[in-house]
Amino acid sequence: MATSTNPKGSKRLSEWRHSLSVISGTNYFKEKIEPHEISFASFLHHIQPNSTKETEVETLWSAKILPAIQKSAFQRLKQQFPRLQREWSLSAATRAQYWANRATSENAAKMKRLQEANLLQLREESTTQLAYMAKKITYEVKESCDPKPKDSSIMEKDIEEYEANDGEGEEDDHDSETISNAEEQYDEPTLPQGDRPCEEEEDEEDAEDLTQVAGLSPFTRLIGELFRKYGHPSPNADLAAPTQFSSSAIQELYTYSKKILDRWSECSIVEQKNCLVALSGIINAMDKSQEPYFSSFASISSQLLDENLFAVTDSQQVIYTRLKARLGQGTMPEVKALRRFCKRRSCDLEEQCEDGGTLKIEELKIMEIMEIVLKEIVAMKCVPNPTETEYVFPWREITRVLFNSDVVARVGELGSSSTRQDRTKLERDNKGAESNVRSRKIDMLHQLYIPTRATPLELVSWEAKSETANSTLLQCQLKKNIRINVSIHKQLQQYLDLEMSTTPVVLDICGPKALAYTVQKVEKDVFGAAAVGETLIELPRFEEDIPEFLDSGSLSALLRIGDRNTLFANLVKIAYKQYAKAEKMNSMLGRPLVRKEPPNCVFTPTKKQKSRPKQSEWAAPI
């Protein structure tokens, strides 16, 4: 009896497996698996997808595999559909965490590969440099032992012959020891490309001059003209105009800036700020008036846009529905009751985690943010026109929920060290001095604290204005904040590859509303700035705004911004630790660490101080 049922059972099992294995995109069901063992988690473990395939993989499971199981002619398989459907609807948060973890690990692996490639290139350059220096030292030692003097032309000829012969037939024991000592002294030095040893001092000076000219920014002349507009006799304004540009984007930025500078006195303050943005190498794809001037405007805008920023997931919708049901008619007593519920629920979730349960991160963040906004609605009910500072604090409290503990949101008009470095260099290059140079003040500066670093790293700048601010003030603030964030990114460039897809989201806040955008390096020395969402994020100001806050996806957008900026902070932390390790190693070995020096962002020059005429010592008293 057993022998008669086993073949039939194995054949039936083969048939149901074959019915699913024909689905395009997976060989999952060709493996040895029973129907009760089927799950989305084991499916992911089998195919090991890339994080960029999130939509494709989840669509394959929900739109093809689950319906095929539901409609299967095999009863054993069809019975698993309710379980799989239930697991799918309840695992939205887990799936989101899975994809976020995969993206983190993939970016870390990419960064490690890039660093290994850069290290390999540095080693190759160092090996070439070491060989040259060893040969030159060997030649100088030989010549010091030769009593017969030689002029410089004969010396140069001998060096060329020695290099051509690679020292063959010329090396004795003394020379071998010298080369060995040279290799120990210059163990893989990392030198800038232009710092090659020269035979004559005059050649070295010429090479230095050429290096300085080659390193000039294509905007140097225009920046000099800008400083002259503010009363500073910058010598850079007399430089010849560049005839060649490294890319079409650089040429377009140069042409756009020059057009504004030529009619500076006739331009509005907003146009002048547009010029500063362009001189900083930034294409602002949020300003439609600039679209005719930049060929990459549309591509930057679409590339940085996140169409799913405001999307509400199934798990979030379940929580939102429960919150709206508890809100009832939205009266003030019901708002206060909902705030108390959110507070109790967040405490319960934390206690569950401490007792060994699974921490529901998404629900915990939703409850904490809702408690903040509901408390603000109650407290500000009778305040008709809140000030800028009164709006900053609830946004700051929300960021503390969104980000991990290593990222701190600082408020109080803190100065950005990145902008001060940019301003100092430009003031020195165009004025010959750096007096009265101050950093740009920031309403909310996000900093990453690293225990081994004396000062925190600046990550992103958020700016805020009151709801009554006029359009001109808001536009000027936006253009200032774009430059501040690019300045911060350029300082981070020495640690992290900024051409990666993960860049932090910036908020420009106007009262309860906020524009979400990002700045990203689009090519060498060129950044793009574009909106991340298609609409504004809006916090509820009054009790009747609460359902719209949930249904519009504003809360969901905040959660995604928190995940994205936390991921960026983690990547910076990993990159900085690797950089610090390499820096310490090079310090111990006496090797300089090559630092990248990107072009500076341009901020408004300090105005020239008018000196008061000194009263003559012999002037008659008044």
Side-chain angles (χ1 to χ4, degrees):
M1 186 174 181
T3 55
S4 63
T5 56
N6 281 340
K8 183 178 179 180
S10 61
K11 181 180 179 182
R12 186 173 183 81
L13 183 63
S14 176
E15 288 176 354
W16 76 256
R17 184 181 295 127
H18 177 73
S19 69
L20 293 179
S21 64
V22 297
I23 298 176
S24 175
T26 177
N27 292 322
Y28 172 61
F29 297 100
K30 292 182 180 179
E31 301 294 323
K32 294 181 179 180
I33 186 171
E34 294 293 334
H36 67 274
E37 297 173 339
I38 298 174
S39 68
F40 186 64
S42 62
F43 176 68
L44 292 175
H45 180 74
H46 173 76
I47 64 176
Q48 292 294 315
N50 188 280
S51 61
T52 59
K53 302 290 186 181
E54 175 182 356
T55 303
E56 179 181 341
V57 171
E58 294 200 352
T59 302
L60 173 64
W61 181 266
S62 61
K64 292 185 178 181
I65 294 177
L66 288 183
I69 293 175
Q70 182 183 18
K71 299 175 183 178
S72 175
F74 302 96
Q75 192 64 25
R76 288 181 59 208
L77 186 60
K78 191 173 183 179
Q79 289 172 352
Q80 302 301 320
F81 175 76
R83 173 184 63 84
L84 294 173
Q85 182 67 20
R86 184 173 61 256
E87 291 176 355
W88 176 256
S89 61
L90 296 176
S91 64
T94 306
R95 298 199 306 270
Q97 187 64 40
Y98 170 84
W99 293 114
N101 292 340
R102 285 203 68 87
T104 302
S105 60
E106 288 167 6
N107 284 328
K110 175 184 175 183
M111 183 172 58
K112 183 177 180 181
R113 290 194 299 270
L114 290 173
Q115 290 178 343
E116 290 175 350
N118 292 337
L119 181 60
L120 179 61
Q121 182 180 359
L122 289 174
R123 285 179 176 174
E124 291 176 352
E125 294 177 357
S126 300
T127 303
T128 304
Q129 180 72 8
L130 174 62
Y132 182 89
M133 295 177 70
K135 292 175 184 178
K136 192 169 189 308
I137 292 173
T138 303
Y139 176 83
E140 291 174 350
V141 171
K142 285 188 359 180
E143 291 305 311
S144 65
C145 299
D146 190 352
K148 188 175 182 180
K150 294 184 179 182
D151 59 26
S152 60
S153 60
I154 298 176
M155 186 181 299
E156 292 176 5
K157 182 177 180 183
D158 288 350
I159 290 178
E160 292 175 358
E161 291 177 354
Y162 182 82
E163 292 178 354
N165 296 327
D166 200 22
E168 293 181 2
E170 300 285 341
E171 188 174 332
D172 54 18
D173 294 339
H174 178 72
D175 296 335
S176 300
E177 183 179 355
T178 303
I179 294 178
S180 177
N181 292 337
E183 291 175 344
E184 293 178 3
Q185 183 178 0
Y186 298 96
D187 184 20
E188 295 187 4
T190 307
L191 298 177
Q193 186 65 27
D195 295 343
R196 302 300 184 189
C198 301
E199 288 80 6
E200 295 182 2
E201 186 175 351
E202 293 180 0
D203 293 341
E204 184 174 355
E205 292 176 355
D206 293 340
E208 183 179 355
D209 292 340
L210 289 173
T211 302
Q212 290 176 356
V213 173
L216 290 177
S217 164
F219 307 113
T220 301
R221 177 176 176 272
L222 296 183
I223 294 174
E225 290 186 14
L226 174 68
F227 271 79
R228 286 192 176 180
K229 303 292 184 185
Y230 285 83
H232 305 295
S234 172
N236 292 334
D238 298 325
L239 294 174
T243 57
Q244 294 182 343
F245 298 90
S246 58
S247 67
S248 60
I250 294 289
Q251 184 174 5
E252 290 168 350
L253 287 166
Y254 183 93
T255 304
Y256 179 78
S257 304
K258 189 176 186 308
K259 178 181 178 181
I260 297 178
L261 283 170
D262 289 344
R263 44 184 292 273
W264 184 263
S265 59
E266 305 171 6
C267 294
S268 66
I269 183 65
V270 173
E271 289 178 297
Q272 292 177 357
K273 299 303 180 184
N274 286 338
C275 180
L276 301 184
V277 172
L279 288 175
S280 302
I282 307 169
I283 298 176
N284 180 12
M286 292 180 284
D287 188 348
K288 284 291 185 180
S289 66
Q290 299 185 30
E291 186 171 8
Y293 300 98
F294 301 106
S295 56
S296 58
F297 186 98
S299 63
I300 292 174
S301 181
S302 60
Q303 177 185 346
L304 302 186
L305 179 66
D306 183 1
E307 296 179 350
N308 296 320
L309 183 66
F310 288 87
V312 179
T313 65
D314 295 339
S315 60
Q316 292 170 356
Q317 189 62 57
V318 172
I319 300 172
Y320 295 169
T321 301
R322 188 164 73 247
L323 290 173
K324 288 188 292 184
R326 282 186 169 271
L327 179 63
Q329 299 299 319
T331 62
M332 186 54 67
E334 288 174 318
V335 170
K336 294 179 179 179
L338 180 59
R339 181 187 65 80
R340 293 193 296 270
F341 166 77
C342 293
K343 185 175 183 178
R344 288 195 303 269
R345 180 57 180 164
S346 60
C347 292
D348 292 342
L349 291 171
E350 287 183 354
E351 290 177 358
Q352 289 176 12
C353 176
E354 293 175 357
D355 294 339
T358 303
L359 178 60
K360 300 178 180 179
I361 299 177
E362 185 178 59
E363 184 179 359
L364 176 61
K365 289 183 177 181
I366 291 173
M367 293 301 165
E368 290 180 340
I369 292 175
M370 285 299 296
E371 181 190 354
I372 293 169
V373 298
L374 293 171
K375 184 178 180 180
E376 195 69 17
I377 289 174
V378 174
M380 303 299 290
K381 173 71 175 178
C382 299
V383 180
N385 295 311
T387 63
E388 175 184 315
T389 305
E390 288 173 322
Y391 276 120
V392 166
F393 283 110
W395 283 102
R396 193 268 302 271
E397 294 302 313
I398 289 173
T399 60
R400 288 178 171 177
V401 174
L402 295 176
F403 303 148
N404 61 29
S405 58
D406 294 331
V407 179
V408 179
R410 305 282 305 279
V411 298
E413 295 288 337
L414 295 178
S416 166
S417 60
S418 301
T419 61
R420 191 179 193 283
Q421 292 180 30
D422 283 344
R423 295 194 72 201
T424 299
K425 186 176 186 305
L426 289 178
E427 297 274 337
R428 184 173 59 246
D429 292 346
N430 291 276
K431 293 169 52 180
E434 51 189 65
S435 59
N436 299 325
V437 176
R438 298 180 180 179
S439 55
R440 298 289 85 180
K441 302 299 182 182
I442 298 174
D443 292 322
M444 193 185 305
L445 179 62
H446 299 95
Q447 298 175 326
L448 174 64
Y449 280 80
I450 300 177
T452 56
R453 182 180 167 88
T455 57
L457 284 174
E458 298 174 354
L459 288 181
V460 65
S461 160
W462 289 6
E463 284 289 339
K465 285 288 181 285
S466 67
E467 199 169 10
T468 57
N470 60 50
S471 175
T472 300
L473 182 59
L474 293 175
Q475 290 184 66
C476 291
Q477 173 186 264
L478 174 62
K479 298 170 199 313
K480 167 196 166 185
N481 204 24
I482 289 173
R483 285 174 285 144
I484 290 175
N485 279 282
V486 171
S487 177
I488 292 173
H489 277 36
K490 287 182 177 181
Q491 292 299 322
L492 293 176
Q493 189 169 314
Q494 57 184 313
Y495 314 124
L496 190 67
D497 175 24
L498 293 180
E499 296 183 34
M500 61 193 307
S501 58
T502 303
T503 54
V505 176
V506 184
L507 290 188
D508 258 44
I509 299 165
C510 178
K513 302 179 179 64
L515 170 67
Y517 64 95
T518 189
V519 293
Q520 184 173 319
K521 187 177 180 182
V522 294
E523 62 177 66
K524 183 180 179 181
D525 298 336
V526 177
F527 276 75
V532 176
E534 296 178 338
T535 185
L536 297 178
I537 297 172
E538 185 170 2
L539 300 181
R541 177 77 171 84
F542 303 101
E543 53 267 34
E544 58 266 22
D545 300 331
I546 298 173
E548 178 65 19
F549 175 59
L550 299 172
D551 295 336
S552 66
S554 288
L555 179 51
S556 301
L558 289 172
L559 294 172
R560 286 191 176 86
I561 291 171
D563 293 340
R564 178 165 167 171
N565 287 15
T566 299
L567 173 60
F568 180 77
N570 292 335
L571 294 175
V572 171
K573 184 190 297 185
I574 295 171
Y576 177 79
K577 288 181 178 179
Q578 295 178 351
Y579 171 87
K581 185 187 295 185
E583 186 178 40
K584 178 61 67 176
M585 181 177 180
N586 283 294
S587 176
M588 296 173 66
L589 297 177
R591 300 184 300 196
L593 187 66
V594 177
R595 295 180 183 271
K596 301 176 183 178
E597 293 292 341
N600 301 97
C601 283
V602 180
F603 296 93
T604 306
T606 55
K607 294 183 179 180
K608 186 176 181 180
Q609 300 294 327
K610 295 182 179 180
S611 58
R612 296 181 179 179
K614 294 183 179 180
Q615 188 176 9
S616 172
E617 184 180 1
W618 301 99
I622 300 176

